[in-house]
Amino acid sequence: MSDRRRLTRRRALGLTAGLALAPSFAAPARAFSATPGPTATLSAYPKGQRPLLLTVLTEDSLSPAERTLATTLQGLLARRGSETLYLNIPSLGYQIWLDDLVSRYGVRTRPGDLWKTVSRSGVGGYVLFRTGTPSVNVATTLAGLTGAVAIEESLEALAIRNGLRKVLDVRDKDDRWVVDNYWPRLRHDVAIEQRGDWPERLRDYVTMAGTLAFFDGNSAFRAEVVDALDDDATVIGWGDASDGEDKFIGPNSDAGVKALPADHARNLSVLSGIQENRLSQSGGGGGRALEPEPDVHYVSFLITDGDNIQWMLGDFPTDKRWFGSPLRGQVDLGWGISPSLIDLAPSVMRWYYDQSVKDRWVVGPSGGGYMYPSRYPAGALEKHTASLATSMERSDLSVVQIIDFDSFQDKRLWSSYLKRPQIDGLIYLEYSRYDAHKGKVVWSEGKPVISARTMLWDGLDGADEASVIAELNSATRNPSSTAGYSIVLWHAWSKSVDNVMTVVNGLAPHVKIIPPDTLVKMVGQYAQH
């Protein structure tokens, strides 16, 4: 931080200002006990309290400034539970999650008025910020520390008329000022990376969790913030990927920190308030190993980008390209999912499992969050895989996708994952291209690390439907050999279930489609190594 003292994990520095947290909006504990008693499960993430009544506001009915007010209020109310807010986008999955909260969990809803909700809330103060400056992240962060809401300067007069008093004016402040002054009072296991020009996304969770919201591109300041986080901490949101996502995922990994893509996510403070200690997958034959048939080649189709929280909450369940496809359920399909959902949005994970027909789920890259395992410090990786194994057991997941650079043969690296009994195997994707290793398998702890054999990806050589059909139909027909199995990665942003079905319809009778976790179990049990 230029000439300032450097932040490190071992010495978190800062000048603590004397802000008092409103007692009724006390910050959540670092780990939340989902149920009382000896069987309680500790959450890997801060969670809101269970909602009983939701005042539902349609997001597009609010101005940008009102959305920031609404989401910081939502985060504060989620600490108390009982009554809180829900920002709905009826065209996306948020209507599904709202309906599910009502039908399955008995949550009541009512339409509401934002300012009347402010008046009923008991919140007495506001932090003043200015649109177009970093102060929106400053105000969101300090809302969580003060129990005040974030008010954009255009709403200040209205806020005063509604009985709010100014706690802080941060219009000329930035993320560096927050870190210099409040770092010891913020969480160090979770931080939120969010652009200042998005007024509502993720802001409820920042305020509820009492964590830092920041955005500074791929700067030295960003690197110091990430390095100051705990081993295996999580940065929720997304960084500056204009020159490639590796420009921030790489430094994260070097610091022993993972990322959860979620910068467009809404309502996590509410969705995290639901408790599910364990969930079970219902589709795809239970992911069991099949008795192999002779003279057969087995193949699994698996989508990319399963670590993307915002996508899972948004249009993934409704869009016909993906889970909303009318063709879904005709064949076994593999989907990626983040095990963090068991804590951040367990009702959402349960809904996906319940809706699965011939669908099976594996962990998205590269476990508990997106990182490059080969660049993770050894101690942080051990912490990561131990936590990952616990969340996988709770989520009924047994296979992990990995994205990394030139690490496929590193058996000692994969041991950290595969020594965990909850993990049956890994699916390895070379950063570019994913299918660089053409289906080869390496073994660690007696378990397989299987590389993608081929891809469906628009614009890449050999990744079109005709090429994939030809490669699968001519592949080895011997389930006693690792060559008798193929994983096809299909690119979420350029291909769809329709494209997968084109390949399926072109396969020869000797090519059998199975779920990816079944394939991993069969390779581990039947393929020679």
Side-chain angles (χ1 to χ4, degrees):
M1 298 180 183
S2 65
D3 62 344
R4 291 174 172 81
R5 292 175 293 178
R6 182 176 176 83
L7 285 169
T8 69
R9 288 192 185 87
R10 293 163 296 283
R11 189 181 181 192
L13 302 172
L15 306 173
T16 305
L19 293 180
L21 184 68
S24 60
F25 298 105
R30 292 177 71 83
F32 181 86
S33 178
T35 56
T39 61
T41 299
L42 292 180
S43 168
Y45 292 92
K47 293 173 68 70
Q49 296 295 318
R50 184 184 176 97
L52 300 178
L53 173 63
L54 295 176
T55 296
V56 180
L57 304 174
T58 303
E59 186 175 283
D60 63 9
S61 70
L62 303 175
S63 69
E66 289 174 328
R67 294 177 192 180
T68 306
L69 163 59
T71 49
T72 53
L73 176 62
Q74 181 186 35
L76 293 174
L77 291 173
R79 291 179 175 178
R80 295 190 311 199
S82 187
E83 178 187 351
T84 185
L85 289 171
Y86 189 91
L87 264 64
N88 195 19
I89 307 176
S91 61
L92 299 181
Y94 294 99
Q95 184 67 54
I96 297 174
W97 319 137
L98 180 61
D99 292 342
D100 186 61
L101 290 174
V102 171
S103 63
R104 188 193 301 272
Y105 297 95
V107 178
R108 294 178 292 120
T109 65
R110 66 181 175 196
D113 175 271
L114 175 59
W115 288 102
K116 289 181 179 178
T117 306
V118 171
S119 297
R120 288 197 308 270
S121 69
V123 174
Y126 66 91
V127 180
L128 189 65
F129 73 94
R130 175 176 294 143
T131 295
T133 73
S135 65
V136 63
N137 275 344
V138 177
T140 307
T141 300
L142 294 183
L145 292 185
T146 62
V149 291
I151 290 289
E152 208 279 329
E153 59 185 1
S154 64
L155 295 180
E156 185 176 22
L158 187 55
I160 293 170
R161 286 202 299 273
N162 278 272
L164 299 181
R165 59 177 180 81
K166 182 166 61 181
V167 173
L168 282 170
D169 183 345
V170 298
R171 287 176 290 181
D172 62 345
K173 309 302 183 187
D174 60 12
D175 303 341
R176 184 190 300 274
W177 177 84
V178 174
V179 169
D180 285 347
N181 286 278
Y182 299 103
W183 182 249
R185 299 187 60 184
L186 295 166
R187 300 181 70 100
H188 299 164
D189 56 342
V190 176
I192 309 297
E193 190 164 18
Q194 183 62 298
R195 295 179 182 272
D197 51 0
W198 289 336
E200 72 290 305
R201 301 163 209 188
L202 269 182
R203 299 195 181 280
D204 65 307
Y205 194 75
V206 175
T207 301
M208 184 278 293
T211 192
L212 173 70
F214 73 102
F215 194 90
D216 197 45
N218 296 316
S219 68
F221 170 73
R222 182 197 184 277
E224 292 182 8
V225 169
V226 169
D227 188 61
L229 295 171
D230 295 342
D231 281 344
D232 198 42
T234 308
V235 177
I236 302 176
W238 198 239
D240 179 3
S242 57
D243 293 323
E245 63 196 33
D246 58 307
K247 293 300 186 291
F248 60 93
I249 299 298
N252 283 3
S253 301
D254 294 338
V257 171
K258 59 189 179 293
L260 279 181
D263 50 323
H264 294 282
R266 282 86 160 172
N267 298 306
L268 281 180
S269 63
V270 173
L271 294 169
S272 66
I274 298 299
Q275 316 301 328
E276 293 284 1
N277 281 348
R278 290 179 182 269
L279 294 171
S280 297
Q281 296 195 54
S282 57
R288 296 182 296 272
L290 305 175
E291 186 71 28
E293 302 176 40
D295 200 36
V296 164
H297 185 84
Y298 288 98
V299 61
S300 290
F301 294 91
L302 178 59
I303 198 170
T304 65
D305 294 76
D307 58 324
N308 195 317
I309 301 296
Q310 62 196 22
W311 183 38
M312 299 295 288
L313 297 178
D315 55 353
F316 178 77
T318 57
D319 196 298
K320 292 182 179 180
R321 290 174 290 175
W322 307 311
F323 203 74
S325 170
L327 302 179
R328 186 179 60 82
Q330 293 186 13
V331 297
D332 294 308
L333 286 179
W335 306 92
I337 197 168
S338 173
S340 69
L341 287 180
I342 193 69
D343 294 318
L344 292 176
S347 63
V348 173
M349 178 177 262
R350 182 174 178 176
W351 183 90
Y352 279 118
Y353 284 5
D354 287 351
Q355 298 297 317
S356 295
V357 181
K358 303 188 75 175
D359 311 284
R360 293 293 295 181
W361 301 85
V362 305
V363 175
S366 285
Y370 182 20
M371 50 79 162
Y372 308 130
S374 65
R375 295 176 63 170
Y376 234 54
L381 186 62
E382 284 294 293
K383 184 176 180 181
H384 176 87
T385 57
S387 175
L388 170 63
T390 298
S391 63
M392 288 176 66
E393 184 174 21
R394 292 176 60 204
S395 306
D396 192 22
L397 297 163
S398 62
V399 174
V400 182
Q401 290 184 63
I402 301 289
I403 293 179
D404 212 327
F405 295 80
D406 303 318
S407 300
F408 178 55
Q409 298 288 344
D410 192 345
K411 300 178 182 180
R412 289 195 301 176
L413 180 63
W414 309 133
S415 174
S416 182
Y417 289 85
L418 295 176
K419 69 183 180 182
R420 314 291 178 184
Q422 298 91 339
I423 305 177
D424 290 337
L426 307 177
I427 295 172
Y428 183 87
L429 315 178
E430 192 64 52
Y431 184 82
S432 183
R433 339 182 339 166
Y434 284 176
D435 60 352
H437 299 284
K438 303 306 296 180
K440 292 179 181 177
V441 177
V442 298
W443 299 85
S444 178
E445 303 288 335
K447 298 176 183 179
V449 182
I450 306 172
S451 65
R453 186 176 303 279
T454 188
M455 300 187 301
L456 275 172
W457 194 308
D458 191 43
L460 294 184
D461 291 341
D464 59 282
E465 288 85 334
S467 297
V468 173
I469 290 169
E471 184 165 359
L472 295 176
N473 285 342
S474 62
T476 299
R477 297 154 68 167
N478 178 10
S480 296
S481 166
T482 57
Y485 301 86
S486 291
I487 293 173
V488 179
L489 263 292
W490 59 280
H491 184 226
W493 314 120
S494 67
K495 296 294 183 178
S496 67
V497 173
D498 286 354
N499 301 115
V500 174
M501 292 304 298
T502 297
V503 175
V504 168
N505 292 332
L507 295 178
H510 67 267
V511 180
K512 304 293 186 184
I513 302 167
I514 57 176
D517 53 347
T518 293
L519 185 144
V520 168
K521 286 183 172 68
M522 291 179 69
V523 170
Q525 187 169 340
Y526 300 115
Q528 296 178 358
H529 61 279

